[in-house]
Structures are given as C-alpha cells and as structure tokens.
Amino acid sequence: AGWQGGLPFHYHVGPGPTVAHLKVHREHGAQGTHTIWDTFGMIRGAVYPNEWVVVGGHRDAWSPGAADDVSGSVTVLEAARAFGQMARAGVRPARTLIFATWDAEEWGLIGSTEFVEEMADSLRAHVVAYINEDDITQGPRFGGGGSPSLKRLVREATRVVPDPTGPGSVYDVWLKRMKGDTTRLTLGNLGGGSDFAGFYHHLGIPAAGVGFGGPSGIYHSVYDSFDWMNRFGDPGWREHQAAARLVAVILSRLANARVVPLDYVEWGTEMTRLVSQLDSAIAKRGWSVSTGGLKDALGRFTASARTFAAVRDSVLVGGAQRPWERVNAALMQVERRFTRPEGLASDSWFKSLQFASDVDNGYATLAFPTVAEAARYADAATTERELADAVARLDQSRAALEQ
C-alpha cells in the first residue's frame, strides 16, 4: 500500500505483457575521451601571500544540476566577486585567496584530483584550509561538515549571517530548531563523494563545507532544474544568498586572522569521543585489544592544544607582535602529520588517519580508518599495530602544536 501513487490506477510491477525497448547511445574509443577544464581565480594576499585559502565547487552535472552543483559553483563565484570588488577598492585579504571550479567531479572527482596530485607539493606547503561547496541549496535547514578543527569557525560564521527563513541569524534559527540545546549544534565529518577528498583525505589539509538542505528527491535526476529550484528548492534565492555570505565570512576569517583559526581543542575532544566506535568494533570481535594508548595520546594532544590556545589568546589580547608566519606554518602541519605515505590498506590514495571514505559506502565517514578497517577485516595483531602507528603519528601532530 505504501507504494501506491496518486494517479487513478493500481500501481504494480509485473508480470505483464509489455516489452520495453531501450535505445542506448554510447561513446567509446577516441569518442569516449573528453577534455576537462578546471578554472581558477586568485587574489594575492597583502601580508601573507604564501599562505593560501582555497574554495571550490564542481561545475559539471549529471543533469541540469541546479542544486548539484550550480548552487555550489555560483556560491564560489559570488564570493569571488565580493572579494574582487574589495580588492579593486584597495582592500585585499592578508592571505592569498584561490577560487576554483572543478570539472568531471561526477566522473570520480577527476578535475580536483588531477589538480591536487599535480600540485601536491605546493598545496602541502601553502594551503591553510579548503572550503568545498557542493549541492548546497535544497531546503531551508542549515547544515555543514568538516574537519573538527574548523567547526568552531563555521559555527561562529552562522552568528553573523541572516537566516534565509528568519528571523535572526542562521545560528538563531539553527538553535531554535534544536530547542535551545547547544550540544545538538553538530556538524558532520567528511566521508567521500566530493572534491574535498583530494585536499583532506589525500594531503591532510583541513576542509569544510556549508549549505542548506531539506527533503528533495531530485538528486542526480532530470528534475534538478532551474524550475525546481525556483519553485521548490529555494524560492526567492535566499538560501543561495545566505550560503554565499557564510562562505565569504569563513574565507575572510581564514584569510585575515593573524593566527589561523584552527581549533585543535575541539579536534582532540571530538576524536577522543570517536574512539568509542573502535571500542565497539573490537568488542564485537571478542578481542582483548585495548585502545588505551590512543586515548592517552589524544589526551596529551588535547592538553597541548589547550595550552596553545591559552597562550595564543593571551598574546593576541595583549597586542604583542609575533612571527605569525612561523606560528601558522607549525599549525598547518598538525593534520598533515596525521597522515602516512602508504595510506590505507584498502586504498593507498587515502593518506589521512583521522577520516576516510568508508570502502563499503563511498559517501560514509570512517573515523580512524586504518584501525577501523583492521578491526573490520583483519585480525587482532593487525589492529594493535595500526593503533600503535596512529599513536606515533598523533604524537608527531602534537609536536607541531608544541612547536
């Protein structure tokens, strides 16, 4: 009964007398290869030109692509226009801003992946953070995700941008929807399926994305059109405006803060909570493997992060001058050091040890992926080795904070 539709006949599937004929056109050989194009715009930083903040969204689509991903790519373009107008007026960001649109995302993140692989050394050396905008306006409800180190920045940005439905800011409406419980103002972790993967999972560069969602049902279909967006997805185009403003605020703060606004207290706290997922997986196996060493390493990391944050805030409030380039260069190493060259056993392209795309579900997020996959597919000895490796690399990340 739940499958019956609204037209005046009984909905059913076979058996029946009808034969369906499907005409297929395919491209193969030389016709199956096409040139793709990434596009870039840059505003060179006035103070720290060698520190880059990158924002991108993919330009290709399976269909008209109004939500996926015209909404994201026009958000990138609108943010670029705003910063471009300021630059022409003589107000340039402290750090370099790079605005990208990616091609062939729908074919396997090809445009962004080719760029990241070709430019890997430069990106490792210069990029502070990457902001990804993909399929971001499908309803009135704010949502987002990213590295735990960027979640505080995202939440703070929601406080200064008017909500598309109002009244009040995006934060106000978000908090009201959560019945005033600030602990429910959660942001997701990045799994797979979009162009952040090269920056975040391959190079260990902090990444995040924001947008507005709701029930739609038009994903990757011909109905993802201008008409659908204009009538149902975002009537009045208010979500698009709010998304572009959020991105502009996030970029501005990343580009202009003297100390890059990466919150490693939140990073350490959230990663500590996620160890419980490993405990559950190990318990299901009946093994006597302990995650105590990883919890201890995360405790040391979070303590160092708190010390760093206190000293940073004291220095900034006091107005003292410091060699900020050296401070930021060390901060940029924290998540990069929580990677390993050989990557995951299931897919060596994924280098980060904090999150990865679940091999069983390309969109889903897997925390501590080397350990989680060992617990899922391997044995107790492999799981213990992966835990020890994660601890050693986490201590290297902590050393960057202490530096």
Side-chain angles (χ1 to χ4, degrees):
W3 287 68
Q4 294 307 306
L7 296 177
F9 51 75
H10 181 70
Y11 287 67
H12 66 282
V13 292
T18 302
V19 176
H21 296 272
L22 182 66
K23 184 176 181 180
V24 177
H25 171 76
R26 66 189 182 97
E27 295 179 331
H28 59 283
Q31 291 181 330
T33 302
H34 298 266
T35 301
I36 64 171
W37 304 90
D38 295 336
T39 71
F40 302 94
M42 177 186 289
I43 300 175
R44 193 167 298 280
V47 183
Y48 313 114
N50 290 324
E51 296 175 15
W52 304 348
V53 178
V54 185
V55 60
H58 72 88
R59 204 178 58 256
D60 64 314
W62 281 129
S63 56
D68 186 12
D69 182 38
V70 172
S71 66
S73 55
V74 298
T75 296
V76 174
L77 295 176
E78 282 300 291
R81 182 166 70 164
F83 282 101
Q85 289 175 349
M86 293 175 67
R88 284 190 290 273
V91 181
R92 286 165 54 203
R95 295 183 178 85
T96 295
L97 289 176
I98 297 175
F99 304 88
T101 70
W102 311 114
D103 205 349
E105 187 267 0
E106 301 290 8
W107 294 92
L109 319 182
I110 295 175
S112 60
T113 298
E114 291 296 327
F115 172 75
V116 165
E117 291 178 347
E118 182 173 339
M119 299 289 291
D121 290 343
S122 293
L123 298 176
R124 284 193 189 97
H126 299 293
V127 176
V128 169
Y130 171 71
I131 305 301
N132 189 65
E133 292 299 285
D134 186 1
D135 201 358
I136 61 168
T137 56
Q138 289 203 43
R141 296 188 172 193
F142 169 77
S147 169
S149 61
L150 286 169
K151 290 181 180 180
R152 180 180 178 182
L153 172 64
V154 171
R155 283 193 294 269
E156 289 177 346
T158 64
R159 292 179 178 270
V160 298
V161 173
D163 190 82
T165 59
S169 67
V170 172
Y171 182 90
D172 294 333
V173 174
W174 187 20
L175 185 61
K176 183 178 179 181
R177 193 169 80 241
M178 299 303 167
K179 303 186 185 306
D181 185 354
T182 56
T183 64
R184 296 176 61 196
L185 299 180
T186 57
L187 296 162
N189 293 308
L190 301 177
S194 195
D195 294 300
F196 57 77
F199 293 88
Y200 191 47
H201 298 316
H202 188 63
L203 299 183
I205 293 170
V210 295
F212 295 86
S216 63
I218 51 88
Y219 180 63
H220 283 182
S221 78
V222 72
Y223 299 102
D224 185 8
S225 64
F226 178 90
D227 183 65
W228 179 88
M229 184 65 74
N230 194 40
R231 295 171 60 193
F232 305 109
D234 186 15
W237 308 94
R238 294 172 297 181
E239 295 154 24
H240 283 74
Q241 294 179 44
R245 288 168 176 157
L246 281 168
V247 168
V249 170
I250 291 167
L251 293 180
S252 182
R253 293 184 178 182
L254 283 168
N256 292 304
R258 283 178 290 176
V259 177
V260 175
L262 296 170
D263 186 345
Y264 285 111
V265 175
E266 179 156 358
W267 191 95
T269 301
E270 180 163 352
M271 297 306 292
T272 299
R273 288 198 301 268
L274 291 170
V275 177
S276 62
Q277 297 179 2
L278 302 179
D279 289 331
S280 296
I282 291 168
K284 288 179 181 178
R285 291 284 196 176
W287 298 335
S288 59
V289 176
S290 172
T291 59
L294 180 58
K295 292 172 184 174
D296 291 344
L298 284 164
R300 294 190 295 270
F301 179 96
T302 308
S304 293
R306 287 196 176 96
T307 302
F308 168 79
V311 174
R312 174 201 62 202
D313 294 347
S314 174
V315 170
L316 289 174
V317 169
Q321 295 300 311
R322 289 290 186 274
W324 305 120
E325 293 94 335
R326 289 172 54 197
V327 174
N328 291 322
L331 272 179
M332 289 163 60
Q333 288 302 310
V334 174
E335 289 175 69
R336 287 158 170 74
R337 289 187 183 182
F338 202 47
T339 64
R340 69 180 186 189
E342 63 268 34
L344 308 188
S346 63
D347 189 336
S348 61
W349 188 84
F350 286 85
K351 311 293 187 185
S352 174
L353 304 191
Q354 53 179 320
F355 296 104
S357 172
D358 191 329
V359 69
D360 290 340
N361 178 348
Y363 290 104
T365 307
L366 198 62
F368 300 106
T370 53
V371 182
E373 289 189 343
R376 185 188 294 180
Y377 303 116
D379 52 29
T382 302
T383 305
E384 287 183 327
R385 285 198 303 271
E386 293 293 5
L387 279 165
D389 182 70
V391 167
R393 296 180 193 278
L394 188 59
D395 283 337
Q396 294 174 12
S397 295
R398 175 174 54 85
L401 271 179
E402 293 173 352
Q403 178 187 343

